[in-house]
Amino acid sequence: MTILALDGLVKRFGGLTATNQFSADVTEGESLGLIGPNGAGKTTIFSLIMGEHRLNEGAIRLKGEAIQDLPTHARIQRGVARTYQVPRPFAEMTVAENIRVGLTPDSIMAMIFGSSNAAEELALAEAVGFEAADLDRLPNELSMGDLRKLELARTLATGAKVVLLDEVFAGLTVGEIAQISELINEKRRSGMTFVIVSHDLRSLEPLIDRAVAMTAGSVIAEGAYADVIADKQVRDSYLGA
Amino acid sequence: MTSNLNLRHAIYWALFAGLLFAMPYLVSKGDLRTMIFALYVGIFAMSWDFLSGRTGYISFGHPFLIGIGAYATAILSYRFDVPVMFSIPLAVIITMVASTMFILPALRIKGSYFALVTLAFMELMYQLVQVIRPDLTGGTRGISGVETITRGAVNGFYLAAFLAFCVALFLWLLTRTRLGAAQSAIGMDEEALKGSGINATKLKLFTFVVSAAVAGLGGAFYVHYLGSIAPRAIFDINFVFTIIVAALLGGAGTITGPLFGAFFLTFLLEYLRPWLPGAERYLIYGGVALVLYMYQPKGMYAIAAKLRAGVMK
Amino acid sequence: MLQIIIQGLLLSGLYALIAVGFTLIFSVGRVLNLAYGAYLMLGGYAFFYVSQTLGMPKLLGVVAAVAVGVIAGLMKHRFIVKPLKGDMVPVEIATLILAVVLQSAVVLMFGDSSKILHSIIPGVVQVGTVSVPYSNVFAMIVSWTVLIALYLFIRKTHLGRAMQAVSMDQKGAAISGVNPDHVNMMVWGISGGLGALGGVFFASYTQLYPAMWVAPLIIAVAVVIVGGIGSIIGTLIVAHIIGFMEVMTTSLIAPELRGVFTMALIIIVLVVSPKGLFGREEIH
Ligand SMILES: Nc1ncnc2c1ncn2[C@@H]1O[C@H](COP(=O)(O)OP(=O)(O)O)[C@@H](O)[C@H]1O
Ligand SMILES: [Mg+2]
């Protein structure tokens, strides 16, 4: 069943068309790889899904509901969330506090009168591979791998069922790549839906069920990873970049 | 709400209350009057801090809010003989409503532009108050002979101290909840906060309205302490300066810091008086503020923390 | 009618001069310089001191004012902007504090009371039924000259293009061999000089007094917000809108309402089009 439907997405920045009639369907529980050369428009697609950029044309449906006119926070409350290509932790908050913000409900009353749940924060931190001792660390003490883990934890904390991961492996060591991969696979088994962008195709391959290749804002190939990567247009687009 | 409160905090607050209670027995009447002023500045600085200290949305027009509260109660009680016990709560409500009307459109605006709009609000108010219905506002001269609600320094002090204490405790408790964390997140990365599923606009609106309520409350009581009000005394860039500097020197985002910052500034100004009776005082006062701020933008809280860490070593 | 047109033109030219120095800093340095108004105050008082207290030639007074402005701008860059690493909020707050400090320094040296400046060029010229002081005509001519020169400087010279590059992208400019630090320093100097020059004229228009920096700051803010950051042409156009609006309000409605429409305009434009009517953020 389609959980996230992207239908003819067009986004223009002034004279530049970043995405051009981009369409793709994401099935519930699957993991979709979104690949393409630099500047293809992958990050822009994520920003459009999250409502961080306004759509010029097209429709986005989450579980059948059109969400393209909802504000960002409302989309997250409906179950989709993203990580950023360059991690954006809250710089002066500890690991635990960053996760706490992800867990915070969007209600002023609940913020004031509810209390934070340390056990839940710890569980999320441990789920992405942190240890209890890491909870009080600040982002500027963390490695790139840790920052990506933190962002993942904060994203999972929102309760999202569809998670968009932007360049998950950029800047990571081999060990960190293995760790994050394992985490993603574990979440896949639990039924979570992923859309993953990565330049590191070799690390991406084992994490996805299917791939969509795009260039210059449009889809050029779609299907099993091996077929997509063998496609002549896809090869040319990478070579051309 | 209770999770991160502990006995140590309760003891600090009790000591603070005790100190305020004992103050009239400890200091002269003159110092007490200086303290009353410091307490009101402290209330305004805490209101500023609640809005700007954490979220990074700097208000350069806070007297706009204070002025609405002050004028509202002054006009109600002086022109329409509304008893103070009704005019003050009404003034607070008026401040909240009026400021919401102004801020709703401004919520889209970010960064420096927000600061500019608040400055423009203040100047607008300054000019409007003088020309629109001067029969009510008293025009350029303002209103004098507003009913005062306390007699003598001691009573005035207790009232101001009670207000400042309640405001401090209330705002401090608020910022220690997850609300405070979310407010800080606005200042760090508003987009990432939205990306965590939180309606940042609603949060900003709530923060602004609470800040306005406190500013309006402070302004209303202040006018009933002074007994008079005039546009240039309120809608004045030097007043903005005093409020912001008090908040920053005390430690932005800490709520109680700005209250101490207000005491520091007010007494600095007061104790310079015997040596520097004239304008030099403001030069030194501003200079000290500038140097302290350049040295430690996080304020006395951070300096104190540094010193304590140094002593421990 | 003629009166309104002439007064409007004179005032607007001056407003454009005042605002352009402010927009330069906002565009290139990316910070709101709340002490900008203080340049005007410093310029006004420097002129007063040289030409009236010391009795030197008026022209020398103008030169001294500009020099004081440039130095103030450079010092502000060196001692405030650089240590704070151009961080927006701290710079804004520090410049606000600085403005208040400078104001008290002026009170200390020249006293609290306001001073009347002698006309730079005495005499009036009759235009139809309206008599216009030569000084104001001179102010307008100088304003226009400076604005045109600045426009050409930014468009045509190497340094000017470097300024443009930095206003678009600090990092990109650094890569292409422009030192953003030097450009920034230069812009702070130019902005200080422009402000001080504007201050001499503004003070002869109104009065010279220690708190005189607030009103022109608000005007500069208004012009920049409505015109959009960085646009010299936009600055010029909006300075005329605001100048004429003020003159018309003053002579047709009520002098006290003078600034109300300016404020209302700021608020409306910010809400409707937060980048201003001509804004692109980089200078152009
Ligand atoms: N905010 C923006 N303003 C203008 N152009 C943008 C913006 N964001 C992205 N672009 C442009 O859109 C195109 C697609 O960018 P992006 O989605 O980041 O590509 P990818 O993530 O595939 O590398 C690029 O040409 C980029 O320069
Ligand atoms: Mg990208």
Side-chain angles (χ1 to χ4, degrees), chain B residues 263-281:
Chain B
F263 268 79
F264 175 77
L265 269 192
T266 312
F267 276 89
L268 177 66
L269 206 53
E270 203 48 39
Y271 284 133
L272 286 174
R273 195 193 292 276
W275 290 284
L276 305 167
E280 304 90 331
R281 217 147 44 102

Side-chain angles (χ1 to χ4, degrees), chain B residues 230-260:
Chain B
R232 195 65 307 176
I234 295 249
F235 306 111
D236 176 16
I237 197 112
N238 284 300
F239 190 33
V240 177
F241 164 86
T242 306
I243 293 168
I244 296 186
V245 170
L248 294 172
L249 289 190
T254 62
I255 301 296
T256 47
L259 186 55
F260 291 108

Side-chain angles (χ1 to χ4, degrees), chain B residues 249 284-297 303, chain C residues 80 94 97 101:
Chain B
L249 289 190
I284 305 267
Y285 162 82
V288 168
L290 188 60
V291 169
L292 275 178
Y293 182 68
M294 295 294 292
Y295 168 70
Q296 180 50 272
I303 295 176
Chain C
I80 293 197
I97 303 179
V101 172

Side-chain angles (χ1 to χ4, degrees), chain A residues 106-210:
Chain A
D106 182 32
S107 143
I108 304 267
M109 283 302 134
M111 283 183 202
I112 296 173
F113 295 107
S115 51
S116 54
N117 184 338
E120 211 176 345
E121 289 163 17
L122 178 64
L124 275 160
E126 284 179 341
V128 298
F130 282 117
E131 288 162 16
D134 294 326
L135 284 181
D136 292 327
R137 291 169 71 197
L138 285 166
N140 61 13
E141 308 163 4
L142 299 180
S143 69
M144 185 51 104
D146 285 343
L147 287 175
R148 294 214 183 275
K149 286 194 278 187
L150 175 57
E151 206 160 60
L152 200 51
R154 196 176 69 196
T155 306
L156 295 176
T158 64
K161 292 285 170 286
V162 181
V163 176
L164 318 174
L165 304 176
D166 200 352
E167 301 289 3
V168 258
F169 300 126
L172 302 198
T173 64
V174 178
E176 287 171 336
I177 290 178
Q179 206 178 17
I180 297 245
S181 296
E182 190 183 332
L183 171 73
I184 294 172
N185 272 327
E186 190 185 309
K187 290 288 163 194
R188 283 172 72 196
R189 284 192 290 277
S190 75
M192 197 170 271
T193 308
F194 283 100
V195 180
I196 308 176
V197 166
S198 173
H199 266 101
D200 179 354
L201 296 179
R202 209 167 339 159
S203 306
L204 180 66
E205 184 185 357
L207 296 180
I208 57 177
D209 304 306
R210 206 160 59 87

Side-chain angles (χ1 to χ4, degrees), chain A residues 38 42-44 85 166-167 197:
Chain A
N38 245 327
K42 306 176 297 287
T43 300
T44 304
Q85 184 167 340
D166 200 352
E167 301 289 3
V197 166

Side-chain angles (χ1 to χ4, degrees), chain B residues 108 112-113 117 127 131 248 280, chain C residues 92 229 256 259-260 270-271:
Chain B
R108 281 175 53 200
S112 309
Y113 288 98
V117 180
Q127 305 197 337
V131 290
L248 294 172
E280 304 90 331
Chain C
E92 281 163 19
I229 300 173
E256 301 88 352
V260 169
L270 266 180
V271 169

Side-chain angles (χ1 to χ4, degrees), chain C residues 23-170:
Chain C
T23 204
L24 271 184
I25 288 299
F26 207 164
S27 168
V28 178
R30 288 296 152 104
V31 290
L32 196 60
N33 179 12
L34 286 176
Y36 182 73
Y39 296 140
L40 280 90
M41 177 187 71
L42 290 178
Y45 274 95
F47 175 77
F48 172 79
Y49 183 73
V50 171
S51 71
Q52 267 161 261
T53 311
L54 299 181
M56 310 247 240
K58 299 247 163 61
L59 201 60
L60 201 63
V62 177
V63 173
V66 173
V68 167
V70 170
I71 293 170
L74 292 176
M75 290 196 9
K76 213 183 299 179
H77 177 251
R78 175 67 192 79
F79 294 109
I80 293 197
V81 181
K82 270 183 78 168
L84 294 174
K85 299 184 189 69
D87 237 356
M88 223 142 51
V89 171
V91 171
E92 281 163 19
I93 288 169
T95 52
L96 173 74
I97 303 179
L98 181 68
V100 175
V101 172
L102 287 175
Q103 178 185 342
S104 38
V106 163
V107 172
L108 196 58
M109 289 193 313
F110 296 95
D112 228 343
S113 59
S114 57
K115 312 238 180 305
I116 307 283
L117 285 187
H118 301 317
S119 321
I120 299 179
I121 303 170
V124 291
V125 56
Q126 251 352 95
V127 182
T129 52
V130 190
S131 50
V132 187
Y134 275 125
S135 285
N136 293 3
V137 178
F138 177 68
M140 190 180 80
I141 294 173
V142 172
S143 299
W144 275 91
T145 313
V146 168
L147 285 171
I148 292 170
L150 190 68
Y151 185 78
L152 293 177
F153 171 73
I154 288 171
R155 290 284 162 123
K156 304 277 183 227
T157 67
H158 180 71
L159 263 178
R161 278 197 290 267
M163 272 165 57
Q164 237 173 333
V166 174
S167 75
M168 287 176 202
D169 182 0
Q170 306 257 352

